[in-house]
Amino acid sequence: MEEMSLDGLRVLAFESRRAKEIAELIRRQQGEPFVAPSVREAQVESSDEIFEFGDRLSAGDFDMMICLTGVGTRRLAKVLEGRVDFVAELRKITVVARGPKPSQVLRELQVQVTVQVPEPNTWRELLVAIQDRPERRVALQQYGRPALELIAGLKSQGREVTAVDIYQYDLPEDLEPLREAARRLARREVDVALFTTAIQVVHLIHIAREQNTEEAMLRGLRAAFVASIGPTTSEALEEAGITPAFTPSHPKMGLLVNEAASLQIPRLGVA
């Protein structure tokens, strides 16, 4: 079988923390990358809610802790340092890790993961993984935006949920790359668009709307080959009227690029 690549295709990505890495992955597959960082992780303005959570954790108010992200878990431990023995308290209760990143951080902290949520690590798999667990008082480490579906599902299981926000998703400080990405899509100058988180979709649409190019941008996105890293990101795309053409075998950035490169993707406008 002939090995495919992104040979000469104009590939747009929205990764922020790993922008250089995804650009290099695209180049290795002979694509022409344009990376428009679309997200900035900003710590919440006030730590009062976090401190209140820490006090309640020390008081024994929770019998389960759900860690959704590695970054959030690590920051939570850091913010509570000197106020609460976060690690000691977690060792007393059931700890749920949504995916490999929070699991890695918990291992570094020497905290035993009781429930490891299977791929693709969405709120649906999480609810199934704990559906038979007896714990009722749940602490939830959120990220970016409220985990509304997960919270509703936990409550439907008869659990009391306390959510703690450690950081939020903001637009990047330098908006020009994202603005240029929206313009390129509107001009149909993108063959492949790679999305690695749902919030990238939200921020792209927001910027296009500010530029009065939302409809043209969405038309350009529909014309391109759209690859989504996993179900949550695909849902955000579908809410915007975009049906992803491809999802990798596992929700990993390297597989997203490399497996997409193994497909026959035409240059935009070429049959």
Side-chain angles (χ1 to χ4, degrees):
M1 181 180 294
E2 183 183 358
E3 184 176 350
M4 306 304 297
S5 73
L6 297 171
D7 188 19
L9 293 176
R10 300 161 295 180
V11 183
L12 174 60
F14 299 92
E15 182 62 27
S16 297
R17 270 190 293 149
R18 302 172 70 186
K20 291 182 180 178
E21 184 177 343
I22 200 167
E24 181 57 28
L25 286 168
I26 293 166
R27 289 190 193 96
R28 287 178 188 171
Q29 293 294 345
Q30 302 174 41
E32 299 177 5
F34 181 78
V35 182
S38 59
V39 180
R40 176 169 58 92
E41 294 173 354
Q43 194 156 331
V44 294
E45 292 183 3
S46 173
S47 297
D48 291 347
E49 180 185 343
I50 300 170
F51 292 154
E52 180 182 348
F53 158 76
D55 292 342
R56 292 187 60 192
L57 182 65
S58 291
D61 286 357
F62 307 111
D63 45 31
M64 175 183 283
M65 175 81 192
I66 299 175
C67 299
L68 294 182
T69 67
V71 171
T73 303
R74 184 175 280 113
R75 287 187 183 175
L76 190 55
K78 186 171 182 59
V79 172
L80 291 174
E81 190 175 10
R83 183 183 182 99
V84 173
D85 192 337
F86 183 60
V87 169
E89 296 302 330
L90 285 190
R91 288 172 177 164
K92 298 175 184 177
I93 63 176
T94 296
V95 177
V96 180
R98 187 187 64 147
K101 292 181 180 178
S103 291
Q104 179 181 344
V105 172
L106 289 163
R107 283 196 301 271
E108 291 171 5
L109 294 173
Q110 297 185 330
V111 172
Q112 179 69 40
V113 174
T114 314
V115 179
Q116 177 68 63
V117 178
E119 289 186 355
N121 316 121
T122 73
W123 58 271
R124 293 182 179 87
E125 287 76 35
L126 197 159
L127 289 174
V128 171
I130 67 169
Q131 62 185 356
D132 297 324
R133 300 286 315 184
E135 297 85 357
R136 288 293 174 262
R137 300 170 301 158
V138 179
L140 172 65
Q141 173 257 311
Q142 292 196 123
Y143 66 100
R145 55 180 179 173
L148 300 179
E149 298 93 344
L150 176 56
I151 291 171
L154 290 168
K155 289 181 177 178
S156 73
Q157 292 180 344
R159 306 182 200 275
E160 175 188 324
V161 185
T162 298
V164 56
D165 293 304
I166 191 69
Y167 64 94
Q168 60 194 22
Y169 287 148
D170 289 342
L171 286 163
E173 292 180 354
D174 180 7
L175 291 172
E176 187 51 35
L178 193 53
R179 288 170 178 154
E180 177 61 17
R183 291 192 290 264
R184 290 190 185 195
L185 283 165
R187 296 193 299 261
R188 301 203 178 192
E189 295 175 357
V190 174
D191 301 304
V192 180
L194 306 176
F195 290 89
T196 51
T197 68
I199 196 66
Q200 294 169 355
V201 182
V202 176
H203 284 180
L204 173 63
I205 292 172
H206 174 80
I207 289 298
R209 187 173 297 147
E210 280 192 346
Q211 297 184 144
N212 297 314
T213 60
E214 180 180 359
E215 290 307 315
M217 183 277 293
L218 288 172
R219 285 195 295 271
L221 201 52
R222 292 186 188 103
F225 181 93
V226 176
S228 162
I229 201 164
T232 303
T233 303
S234 295
E235 285 178 5
L237 285 162
E238 287 161 3
E239 285 176 9
I242 307 297
T243 301
F246 171 74
T247 303
S249 57
H250 299 281
K252 298 182 184 299
M253 191 176 74
L255 292 177
L256 177 70
V257 176
N258 295 336
E259 290 182 3
S262 71
L263 305 174
Q264 182 83 47
I265 304 173
R267 189 175 179 88
L268 194 63
V270 178

